Amino acid sequence: MRIGQLPGGHGAQGSSAMAQADRLPGDGFLTRLLRAPLAYIALTKPRVIELLLVATIPTMLLADRGAVDIRLILATLFGGWMGAASANTLNCVADADIDKVMKRTAKRPLARAAVPTSHAAVFGIVLGLASFAWLWWQANLLSGVLVVTTILFYVFVYTLGLKRRTSQNVVWGGAAGCMPALVGWSAVTGTIGWPAIALFGVIFFWTPPHTWALAMRYKEDYRAAGVPMLPVVATEQTVTKQIVVYTWLTVLTTLALVPATGVVYAAVALVAGAWFLLMAHQLYAGVRRGESVKPLRLFLQSNNYLAVVFCGLAVDSVLGWDTVGSFFG
């Protein structure tokens, strides 16, 4: 989750691992040998998992403000990576039929029959079980349970339940992409505190504008696959208006976290939020004026926005200065 490839997103350019496999010359034994592991790596959508890094590390640093437990952070990231890889692989299994139809996903391993579907399913299940066991061992039971909950929600609630049935699929399905915040916090504290819920909210509200901007650009792909993404069933003005609403909710939620952080995060959240809002309003205004807009620009910049906000949180947490809330308490 390139950053932010959450439920609904298929990736604007596809998996780098799959692209590498495609570049291998010839069809000899060595080529086939190399393509097999690369295909399995591609199933996990490596670029999609970037969101795990963006969300988990700053959350863990905030939970243990002023301290850095490298061992626990690395262990949690590894367990979270296996969990995300499991969810993404099982998503590929469930979506193999529509991946064949959509141009941007036609080169995925299952769409190209590069990996047997049964093998991919076993691969995904094993990764999920390993993720649970690892996090229970290295962190605590709550973290392991949260990862399993995320996998089940992403596969059964979003992919099989919501994605092909409602235009609000990414609104509720996006909850799966928010779970790294809860996993990271629970790994440090063994609980789920209100700052973790606020960070969950940030990603939850950020997901619709991020994904809808991509879907605006590729709505014909979604229409051909029978996926009722909002840009497929609604006008551009309706979609961009919703993008503005959810962008406001995203920024306001980042500001709700300010009492638990210092001035560095507060400044970053305020400036980055103003910039993100400006971009969303510009897209909406362009559509209202009947101009030819470039929604993919908002999609790409929304990645940068989230990265900047969470990096600001990480720096602020490592510095460990007095929180804004302490000035009023």
Side-chain angles (χ1 to χ4, degrees), residues 3 20 22 40 79 93 104 142 241 281 301-302:
I3 297 170
Q20 184 177 348
D22 287 340
Y40 279 96
V93 172
R104 293 174 296 104
L142 178 58
K241 185 177 182 179
H281 278 278
Q301 294 302 329
S302 66

Side-chain angles (χ1 to χ4, degrees), residues 165-183:
R165 290 180 172 86
T166 172
S167 62
Q168 297 299 301
N169 44 22
V170 299
V171 175
W172 303 109
C178 312
M179 293 300 285
L182 301 187
V183 172

